Amino acid sequence: MFSVSAKQRSLFELRHQSALSDYVTGIAWSPNGEGLAVCSAAGEILLYSMKTLESVVLQAATGYSIDGLAFSHDGQFLAAGGQSGEVNIWQFKPKPELIQTFKNKSAWIDQLQWSPTQNDLAFSLGKTVQIWNAESRERVTTLLFGDSSVSQIVWHPSGESISLGGYQGIKIWMTSNWDDDPYHLMVPSASVAVAWSPSGRYVASGNLDRTITVLEWGNPEPWMMRGFPGKIRDLAWSDQFASNAPLLASASVEGIVVWEKHEEEAIGWESRVLGTHEGVVQGLCFQPATMLLASASEDGSVILWWQATSMAQVLEGVSDGFSCLAWHPQGSYLVAGGEQGELLIWGKSSRGQGFKRR
């Protein structure tokens, strides 16, 4: 399928392979990287120990999909929500204990995220988002998006704000005063992918009308990127700078485009197209502290892109395509889920220690 030189085939090697009973819908790493939570369309949730690569069943299959899964910033709590309308929260001390269940029969919980600095959980309920504090076990506030159901929930890296995506753009609330009107980054259609750069300087909106909007926080004039073959399915920022800004990778249908900000403001962002997958790209993420980009596709491959420019390694191992992927917090492992429930974990290869770009 792909052509990669022999010298390039040793960055990562398969360390573990197992399977859930259905489509893998989510992957969540604990902040210290010692634990891995995985969920499926059947409703099961498994917890893996990275020391032993063994798993325990946190929740057996229920027949209702789990579509949101996340650890709190300190690793004390794990939250999960999905098709049943329930949000379940476990606390680890040291064994997981279910401490809270929210039941919302009329809502499908497909978005939930913890604050990166506080134990505040945000989860979607149609056109609103509830924010709940795990320490006090009380609701903090309810945010009304209003224009549509909420398609994305993303906290600012500093925790100072929260961004909700949906019809006609992104609305951003400051956590210092929930009652203030939100800032509204307008887009002509709907925002379906939202990503803050790691420094919190830029926010990007991937839109349903095949465009990307990028805003530098504090600058009222956003940039607009056009010409994609379909809606923007995913966005990923590097935590390393290429020149004067991080790289922004975007996925649309089978293609990946990487954006680099030019030093001259008038030029804006320049693009380069990476070689395409043969199926729809389902996930993008940069390895922490590097510019190694990983992409997962329905064609059954995960591709590693060296410096987000050229193909470095192709990882395979599923029959009907990959559904999601995520890097270990320190970049030691890469995990991907499959459409038939496969779970693959790759670790750094000792043969890849001397890898250099040709």
Side-chain angles (χ1 to χ4, degrees), residues 223 261-270:
W223 293 276
K261 188 173 183 293
H262 198 277
E263 293 181 357
E264 296 184 22
E265 289 291 325
I267 296 177
W269 297 75
E270 296 181 309

